[in-house]
């Protein structure tokens, strides 16, 4: 088995990391892995098994005793043209984006045993594949030797507005709530002890606040072509 090319993409929530990663993967015919989806799938398991809830966030530590019951896989969906996540054989691509998962996932992602459990799987996914992986610690922890590291940023107001626009049911929340939740997650992600979100010295920073998707992708593909 051989290690393929690796493009690591990190950044705060809702900066458009996954959309960028997906687009690069399509362009280069690389495998795309959204590691946030993996932390979300573990969180979904915790909710489904009544281990964690909004009132019992710190119970997330108990999930560590159930890791051998959690199997995460990805399968390519031809019609959607994307890699989708499965939890114990069930496609959970939509469920993992729910508000309850979103509100609890940072509490799950800060637990060292859960991180090592997922990091090991993330490294295995790169064997025999060229890969674009997005998350928070891809360039710093999962693949410090990545062929290219991108760090995506965007203004909090712009991020909140984008996320709010994407929501199908806007009656459940407000723009202000979305923004507050986003800032809280930024703080939890960058303030945690284990693998906090940091920009690596060798990562190229891309600001996705005020550029069109076309401009952004043109700029990124220029960088990708020069490095890969
Ligand atoms: O990118 P996202 O919003 O889907 O990520 C969900 C959560 O998982 C977020 O709180 C940060 C965390 N995460 C992480 O800690 N490490 C990663 N590699 C990816 C995501």
């Amino acid at each position: 088995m051989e290690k393929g090319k690796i493009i690591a993409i990190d950044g705060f929530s809702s900066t458009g990391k996954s959309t960028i990663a997906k687009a690069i993967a399509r362009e280069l015919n690389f495998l795309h892995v959204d590691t946030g989806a993996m932390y979300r799938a573990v969180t979904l398991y915790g909710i489904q098994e009544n281990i964690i809830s909004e009132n019992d966030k710190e119970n997330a530590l108990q999930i560590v005793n159930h890791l051998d019951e959690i199997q995460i896989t990805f399968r390519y969906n031809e019609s959607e043209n994307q890699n989708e996540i499965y939890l114990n054989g069930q496609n959970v691509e939509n469920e993992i984006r729910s508000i309850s998962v979103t509100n609890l996932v940072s509490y799950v992602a800060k637990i060292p045993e859960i991180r090592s459990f997922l990091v090991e799987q993330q490294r295995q996914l790169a064997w025999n594949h060229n890969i674009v992986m997005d998350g928070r610690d891809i360039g710093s922890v999962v693949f410090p030797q990545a062929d290219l590291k991108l760090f995506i940023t965007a203004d909090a107001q712009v991020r909140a507005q984008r996320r709010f626009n994407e929501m199908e049911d806007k009656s459940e929340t407000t723009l202000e709530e979305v923004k507050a939740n986003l800032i809280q997650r930024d703080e939890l992600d960058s303030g945690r002890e284990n693998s906090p979100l940091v920009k690596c010295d060798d990562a190229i920073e891309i600001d996705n606040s005020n550029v069109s998707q076309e401009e952004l992708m043109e700029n990124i593909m220029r960088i990708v072509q020069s490095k890969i």
Side-chain angles (χ1 to χ4, degrees), residues 17-186:
K17 285 185 313 292
S18 283
T19 310
I20 293 170
K22 214 182 277 180
I24 299 175
R26 277 182 196 151
E27 194 77 27
L28 300 181
N29 204 15
F30 279 23
L31 182 72
H32 168 227
V33 176
D34 170 359
T35 59
M38 299 171 84
Y39 288 94
R40 287 170 178 272
V42 172
T43 307
L44 179 65
Y45 183 85
I47 296 171
Q48 285 174 345
E49 296 298 311
N50 296 318
I51 304 167
I52 39 169
S53 68
E54 282 286 341
N55 301 325
D56 235 338
K57 296 187 172 90
E58 297 301 336
N59 236 8
L61 192 55
Q62 297 304 320
I63 298 178
V64 170
N65 302 324
H66 297 263
L67 292 179
D68 57 352
E69 298 156 21
I70 300 177
Q71 200 206 10
I72 292 172
T73 47
F74 286 92
R75 267 180 242 165
Y76 194 71
N77 179 331
E78 296 265 349
S79 59
E80 295 292 330
N81 196 11
Q82 65 180 9
N83 221 11
E84 295 187 341
I85 192 159
Y86 285 71
L87 170 61
N88 294 334
Q90 296 285 318
N91 185 327
V92 291
E93 189 62 37
N94 292 329
E95 284 92 327
I96 58 162
R97 316 279 167 202
S98 70
I99 291 190
S100 52
V101 171
T102 302
N103 286 344
L104 288 168
V105 63
S106 292
Y107 296 86
V108 172
K110 71 178 182 179
I111 297 168
E113 290 87 346
I114 295 180
R115 299 202 69 84
S116 347
F117 171 72
L118 293 179
V119 167
E120 191 183 319
Q121 296 179 34
Q122 289 154 12
R123 289 185 180 142
Q124 277 172 8
L125 285 165
W127 285 104
N128 272 347
H129 285 287
N130 292 320
I131 203 163
V132 185
M133 190 172 279
D134 72 270
R136 303 293 188 290
D137 60 343
I138 311 306
S140 57
V141 174
V142 185
F143 297 120
Q145 307 305 332
D147 298 275
L148 171 64
K149 298 180 188 178
L150 300 178
F151 189 84
I152 317 293
T153 61
D155 178 75
Q157 186 68 32
V158 174
R159 291 189 280 141
Q161 187 69 59
R162 280 192 198 140
R163 178 146 281 202
F164 187 67
N165 293 347
E166 277 164 17
M167 286 179 170
E168 279 171 18
D169 184 2
K170 295 192 175 40
S171 65
E172 265 190 84
T173 185
T174 62
L175 175 61
E176 288 65 38
E177 255 175 24
V178 173
K179 188 174 173 191
N181 178 281
L182 222 139
I183 290 171
Q184 192 202 13
R185 284 211 292 146
D186 288 353

